[in-house]
């Protein structure tokens, strides 16, 4: 039996578009001779659908789509992720995987473990299932599971939040394979963890595991795809690439009277998106505002390449490129604009945008003030030239002067302070928004996680835009990822890496006038924000004064983050939806 | 037995401050001869604590506070709401109510029904309890419940999300009273619903119910307090006022060999915050940046006033005053500034701010442009004078001209559009933020819910500020609440009510150039956003073209709302934390 594992990129809420894409995948799997196709979790709605799930029309539309797809599955069965209505008296829906074939639903599994931590809200919508569903299809007994269902098994690693391990019952049952459909968002090095965990489960339960995952960016979340299959010895049989759309095939020999543990042929291939059919692609293009740039930076994956995953920085870079592209295009935009300061943050964002959308779709704007150094202007210009993006220079001095005149009058007698610094940042923001309004570009914010953590940024100034692509990268990681990008082609001038970071909002300013050295700051932030360590641990690990300054900086700038643009999550804990802090509060740390 | 029902206003996260306040309440209850004091739900952390609950130091600090309070309860027992550690293997905490007395925890109830809908995230943190806890104290058998535990009883009205009704077991047990501690956020007319529901439960189960609720504003949520007690016939024995801090007492006669259903004396009184002791008030003041304005607009409540609740508009106005004051003060501010356009929205916000903080703490800024009408400027000035707030005029023309000069250069050949309108709004926003930066004022946004729903507002312009007090009031409700405010004292000029609403960003503009008439728009928004009705229902109830325009307007402006300042929730469904929509999506409505 040949199984196809989908890595498809869905638009959240677009049931008809997503169903059409799935149907084209079914067609392709059919013509490739696959007998079963696995979609990702909640494929029809896209993930995360959030409160769209509370719209009854969306749920009804989904039911129609399931029926239509069932009719369309003549030769290839489909394991489809969707949100189905639950019985009255509990939460309204189940997060389900239905095996559909020749007009019928053969079996349905309802997700048992519903994640609720970090960015997840599944207990807001779904009633849990009670046990893994087993289904016999073409003489093979498959166990159906959804994402989190397999993440609480002690074989390798277990979450500490659930009392139940849905896999436990499979020890006795010994299915011929365990199928898992997921929408497992990316964070750095998670794909390696996922592989090792699933391999351990396959080996531990002596059953093959076939795993399908969503690909694409949906708001803050980027999904890496990377479908895979393991044999009962935990050996990798098939591994799809990260951040790439397409179908992954794995061949399985089925004998008459098949043994309960069957072996796979070590043979698979990965197909490019093109064969998904012109229908899909063209409806996609229409829906996404006539722009869906080719994934030209990726190469065909061969078996030999499967085992090693890309390096962490390469993973992150690819995640940011996909996340930026999907956000921009799925919001109906095709062009972006950003301020180029001559610093490393805007340089990296410009490079990501150029790689994601094509340099012709990116406009970099240099907006020097009286405090801007000559090297800043020069470096911005060289970067734009190297990337081949559009480049404008707009002097903010006349507007700045007009504001200063007002301030002189209304703030008579008061000395200059952060006010005069912020206004420069806000003038730049207003100019970028004017470009957005006039030309239909999306503005990209260029701030990093270290700044956002400490509130070292200007609300309605540099913290402005439709998307903040690198807001989950601490400053030290910004440098590393920028280095990685330069290793592909040398686009960011060397001086941008070596000069002292500065906001250049007053004479001779550097970031370290206000912030601890970035290498120390980022380690403290990793401890407090990402690992969630408490004050006692912080003051033990780091210089006390600095640790407490960082703690206070993070706590007191929540109001800025609440109004920040969405950022792309690439760490275990990003600011935004997965970190829900009150604003008007006083956190007592000891 | 005399029972005291606390209506205390806590600062989220401030365990020491909240514990000190509770201890002072214990002292006062003691000297009033009360044998039992009920706090609100999660009193020690404040509500909603959100991800502060994941900080292990906060949890440890709470445990210490419980011990200290237990030691302090010598004569009066305390039913205390707190988050206690749960056993390993599930979610980390319980949402608990502990009866503590003379150094000991006599009994603890863990909340069974954990709300997860709208603004609630309790299933993110808490492991549910399994049954109502019963405790015998001074010969009376009390059933302990927490908030939602009593909201799934069919006697009056039931949520449809839970399979369990924790009260059901009490039919057989027949406790002497059911105690409920809550953090039940306000929405319009909910206090009446709550009263009727609790009365029905008391009557239906033939048991007295004593109910304590949180008071105060915490970020988007305002809690109205309004503690109460009913006898076993469902008669109101005691009812605390809405939006007011203090202790409510109810006297209960206890006989030797008390009957299982005891009767209350119809006697109670409500005490003002002052008797809570100087210790509390002064520590409060210190913590809240030296400003905690007196609740002078409230009157002493007598028994005669208890039964009728204030009218809807009066409730809403009081909720906004308290919500604004608490947000500003709990964020460490004492002064606010806002733009005064001469329109009804900014007029209402100015009145609320003046009532909340005192007119001397409010600065209204008129920022006319070349398109501002003379009546706008005049009306703003009269309003400021009537309210007694500070008033500045700042002309934006010089900055506007400087921007237009830039636009002429970079947008050569392109005609004027929304760009030139938005920039005026953004100049005003930048001036208000400069005032905030220079003088330490919090900026108040003045937008209403109708605008926010349709995206009829400028990101980083009028949609800017620390708080957006009326962002949950549709335009038609803004007029009603403003009328109510004028009925107290005539502060908003009559012309502000009668003239056609306009943003005045281009010549002869009115809101209705872009939006449907407000009375129709607001009814459609109520249907779609508040009631969650779907497309089919909308086009049946309203003119189809208009209904679809509104649907599209709401769906497509999510990106603005994501970056909007927090707003005060006064409706059943507000934008913000309780409505979680994706941005990059396409909602398929049919």
């Amino acid at each position: 039996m040949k199984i196809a594992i989908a890595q498809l990129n869905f638009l959240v809420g677009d049931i008809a578009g997503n169903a059409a894409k799935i149907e084209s995948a079914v067609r392709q799997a059919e013509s490739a001779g696959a007998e079963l196709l696995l979609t990702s979790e909640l494929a029809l709605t896209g993930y995360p659908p959030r409160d769209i799930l509370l719209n009854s029309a969306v749920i009804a539309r989904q039911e129609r789509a399931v029926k239509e797809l069932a009719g369309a599955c003549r030769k290839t069965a489909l394991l489809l992720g969707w949100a189905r209505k639950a019985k009255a008296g509990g939460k309204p829906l189940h997060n389900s995987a239905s095996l559909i074939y020749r007009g019928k639903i053969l079996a349905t599994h309802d997700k048992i473990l519903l994640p609720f931590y970090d960015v997840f809200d599944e207990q807001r919508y779904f009633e849990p299932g009670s046990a893994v569903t087993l289904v016999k299809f073409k003489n093979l007994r498959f166990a159906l599971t959804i994402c989190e269902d397999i993440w609480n098994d002690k074989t390798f690693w277990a979450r500490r939040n659930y009392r139940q391990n849905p896999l436990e019952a499979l020890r006795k049952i010994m299915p011929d394979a365990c199928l898992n459909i997921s929408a497992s968002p990316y964070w750095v090095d998670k794909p390696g963890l996922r592989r090792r965990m699933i391999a351990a489960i396959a080996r531990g339960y002596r059953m093959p595991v076939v795993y399908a995952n969503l690909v694409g960016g949906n708001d803050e979340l980027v999904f890496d795809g990377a479908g895979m299959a393991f044999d009962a010895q935990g050996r990798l049989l098939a591994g799809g690439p990260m951040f790439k759309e397409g179908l992954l095939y794995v061949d399985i020999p089925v004998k008459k009277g098949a043994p309960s543990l069957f072996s796979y042929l070590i043979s698979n291939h990965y197909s490019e998106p093109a064969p998904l059919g012109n229908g899909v692609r063209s409806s996609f293009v229409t829906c996404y505002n006539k722009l869906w740039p080719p994934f030209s930076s990726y190469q065909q994956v061969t078996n030999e390449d499967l085992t090693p995953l890309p390096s962490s920085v390469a993973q992150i870079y690819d995640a940011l490129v996909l996340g930026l592209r999907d956000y921009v295009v799925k919001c109906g935009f095709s062009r972006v604009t950003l301020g180029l300061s001559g610093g490393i943050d805007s340089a990296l964002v410009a490079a990501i945008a150029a790689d994601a959308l094509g340099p012709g779709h990116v406009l970099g704007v240099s907006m020097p003030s009286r405090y801007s150094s000559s090297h800043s202007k020069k470096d911005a210009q060289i970067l734009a030239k190297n990337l081949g993006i559009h480049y404008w220079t707009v002097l903010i001095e006349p507007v700045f002067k007009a504001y200063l005149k007002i301030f002189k009058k209304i703030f008579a007698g008061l000395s200059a302070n952060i006010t005069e610094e912020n206004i420069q940042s806000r003038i730049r923001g207003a100019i970028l928004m004017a470009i957005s309004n006039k030309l239909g570009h999306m503005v990209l914010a260029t701030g990093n996680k270290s700044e956002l953590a400490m509130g070292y940024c200007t609300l309605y100034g540099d913290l402005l835009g439709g998307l903040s692509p690198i807001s989950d990268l601490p400053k030290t990681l910004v440098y590393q990822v920028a280095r990685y990008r330069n290793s592909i082609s040398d686009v960011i001038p060397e001086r941008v890496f070596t000069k002292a970071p500065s906001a250049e909002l007053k004479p001779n300013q550097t970031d370290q006038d206000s912030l601890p050295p970035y290498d120390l700051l980022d380690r403290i932030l990793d401890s407090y924000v990402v690992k969630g360590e408490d004050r006692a641990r912080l003051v033990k690990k780091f210089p006390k004064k600095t640790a407490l300054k960082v703690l206070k900086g993070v706590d007191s700038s929540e109001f800025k983050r609440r109004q920040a643009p969405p950022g792309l999550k690439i760490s275990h804990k990003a600011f935004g939806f997965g970190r829900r802090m009150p604003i008007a509060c006083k956190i007592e740390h000891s």
Side-chain angles (χ1 to χ4, degrees), chain A:
Chain A
M1 186 191 284
K2 191 183 219 175
I3 296 181
I5 299 169
Q7 294 186 192
L8 299 178
N9 192 339
F10 297 115
L11 178 61
V12 168
D14 182 16
I15 316 291
N18 297 339
K21 196 173 232 203
I22 294 165
E23 194 180 335
S24 293
V26 170
R27 289 285 91 78
Q28 197 210 318
E30 240 176 47
S31 51
E35 294 186 75
L36 176 61
L37 169 68
L38 273 59
T39 72
S40 53
E41 178 182 9
L42 293 181
L44 277 182
T45 58
Y47 195 98
R50 304 213 184 280
D51 283 4
I52 287 181
L53 289 175
L54 307 179
N55 186 317
S56 53
V58 170
I59 303 305
R61 179 68 191 85
Q62 237 196 148
E63 285 167 3
R64 292 213 312 276
V66 172
K67 272 186 201 152
E68 287 157 14
L69 280 171
C73 293
R74 306 308 307 169
K75 290 182 191 163
T76 304
L78 178 66
L79 185 60
L80 176 69
W82 64 301
R84 76 179 186 106
K85 261 189 217 151
K87 262 184 277 182
K91 293 177 192 174
L93 300 166
H94 290 295
N95 180 340
S96 303
S98 291
L99 186 66
I100 61 180
Y101 188 52
R102 300 193 175 167
K104 283 184 186 154
I105 294 180
L106 301 185
T108 293
H109 170 67
D110 300 323
K111 190 175 182 179
I112 303 161
L113 301 187
L114 299 165
F116 53 84
Y117 49 83
D118 196 52
V119 297
F120 298 107
D121 266 340
E122 293 193 19
Q123 304 198 356
R124 184 174 170 90
Y125 313 101
F126 300 118
E127 188 72 12
S130 53
V132 168
T133 299
L134 291 164
V135 56
K136 200 166 180 182
F137 179 67
K138 302 213 171 177
N139 254 344
L140 292 176
R141 295 174 311 136
F142 291 105
L144 307 183
T145 61
I146 300 175
C147 204
E148 194 86 347
D149 287 342
I150 63 169
W151 285 81
N152 198 31
D153 183 77
K154 292 200 183 93
T155 310
F156 176 77
W157 180 78
R159 300 229 189 265
R160 270 161 298 181
N161 298 314
Y162 307 105
R163 298 194 186 281
Q164 198 180 356
N165 171 16
L167 294 181
E168 203 50 55
L170 299 185
R171 284 203 195 281
K172 287 179 191 161
I173 293 163
M174 291 188 92
D176 293 314
C178 175
L179 309 181
N180 184 279
I181 66 170
S182 287
S184 178
Y186 174 77
W187 33 261
V188 61
D189 296 333
K190 188 185 187 187
L193 167 71
R194 227 190 262 131
R195 269 198 184 183
R196 293 191 300 278
M197 184 192 77
I198 296 173
I201 288 170
R203 204 165 44 235
Y205 287 82
R206 298 188 59 199
M207 68 183 175
V209 181
V210 184
Y211 176 91
N213 189 24
L214 177 63
V215 76
N218 294 319
D219 287 2
E220 296 92 340
L221 302 183
V222 186
F223 297 86
D224 52 290
M228 54 190 132
F230 290 87
D231 69 10
Q233 283 73 49
R235 287 174 303 204
L236 186 67
L237 295 176
M242 293 177 67
F243 306 116
K244 198 166 181 180
E245 209 180 18
L247 296 188
L248 173 71
Y249 293 100
V250 58
D251 284 307
I252 303 166
V254 187
K255 292 171 193 161
K256 292 279 176 196
S260 67
L261 289 176
F262 54 92
S263 61
Y264 286 93
L265 275 183
I266 312 288
S267 122
N268 64 77
H269 68 278
Y270 186 83
S271 76
E272 288 296 306
L276 269 180
N278 285 328
V280 179
R281 174 154 285 260
S282 66
S283 74
F284 213 68
V285 168
T286 308
C287 153
Y288 292 168
N289 202 23
K290 294 179 189 138
L291 182 92
W292 192 258
F295 289 67
S296 56
S297 60
Y298 295 98
Q299 299 303 314
Q300 175 79 25
V301 173
T302 64
N303 276 341
E304 290 65 41
D305 301 326
L306 286 180
T307 314
L309 289 163
S311 70
S312 303
V313 284
Q315 284 181 19
I316 291 170
Y317 192 80
D318 289 352
L320 296 174
V321 168
L322 180 60
L324 187 153
R325 175 166 45 208
D326 272 1
Y327 188 80
V328 169
V329 173
K330 289 179 182 182
C331 280
F333 286 76
S334 62
R335 290 180 172 77
V336 294
T337 191
L338 73 160
L340 291 186
S341 69
I344 191 73
D345 298 324
S346 56
L348 178 60
V349 174
I352 296 164
D355 288 347
L357 305 168
H361 290 86
V362 181
L363 167 60
V365 186
S366 168
M367 292 172 283
S369 78
R370 59 179 76 171
Y371 305 119
S372 300
S373 59
S374 61
H375 63 74
S376 288
K377 296 175 244 183
K378 190 73 194 158
D379 290 340
Q381 197 180 8
I382 297 171
L383 173 83
K385 200 181 159 214
N386 289 352
L387 287 171
I389 63 175
H390 301 282
Y391 180 71
W392 288 3
T393 300
V394 179
L395 302 179
I396 67 167
E397 188 65 19
V399 180
F400 188 37
K401 268 190 184 148
Y403 273 119
L404 289 181
K405 218 165 164 181
I406 291 177
F407 294 171
K408 205 173 170 183
K409 206 169 147 190
I410 64 177
F411 302 138
L414 298 176
S415 51
N417 67 350
I418 190 89
T419 313
E420 287 73 14
E421 298 183 41
N422 281 341
I423 200 72
Q424 298 166 64
S425 184
R426 292 193 175 114
I427 296 167
R428 292 185 178 119
I431 290 170
L432 293 175
M433 287 307 295
I435 293 172
S436 171
N437 288 156
K438 193 69 96 185
L439 306 178
H441 289 203
M442 180 184 284
V443 175
L444 300 178
T446 58
N448 62 59
K449 191 176 193 174
S450 312
E451 291 172 356
L452 192 62
M454 297 295 285
Y456 191 70
C457 45
T458 304
L459 254 179
Y460 325 121
D462 57 323
L463 204 60
L464 152 167
L467 182 72
S468 191
I470 61 167
S471 69
D472 198 27
L473 279 69
K475 187 78 171 187
T476 47
L477 185 58
V478 171
Y479 283 108
Q480 290 170 43
V481 174
R483 275 281 176 224
Y484 165 79
R485 177 58 188 83
N486 263 13
S487 76
I488 299 173
S489 66
D490 208 6
V491 287
I492 302 170
E494 186 58 27
R495 186 166 49 189
V496 177
F497 288 91
T498 54
K499 65 187 172 188
S502 168
E504 296 192 332
L505 295 172
K506 60 180 183 180
N508 304 316
Q509 188 179 34
T510 76
D511 291 6
Q512 269 54 60
D513 300 343
S514 308
L515 300 176
Y518 276 120
D519 58 344
L520 176 59
L521 172 61
D522 287 355
R523 281 182 294 128
I524 300 175
L525 289 173
D526 184 67
S527 171
Y528 181 48
V529 177
V530 179
K531 298 203 176 71
E533 293 174 343
D534 66 15
R535 181 188 185 281
R537 185 122 182 88
L538 287 177
V539 299
K540 209 167 169 180
K541 282 170 76 173
F542 304 105
K544 185 173 174 180
K545 208 176 135 188
T546 312
L548 295 184
K549 182 183 171 168
V550 172
L551 209 88
K552 197 180 161 191
V554 173
D555 289 355
S556 63
S557 48
E558 193 56 38
F559 72 100
K560 292 192 182 180
R561 290 189 290 269
R562 187 74 72 96
Q563 296 187 45
L568 299 174
K569 177 182 162 78
I570 56 101
S571 77
H572 194 69
K573 180 62 83 176
F575 293 118
F577 212 73
R579 189 175 185 275
R580 303 179 189 175
M581 299 301 280
I583 296 176
C585 69
K586 174 187 172 188
I587 308 179
E588 205 171 346
H589 287 286
S590 59

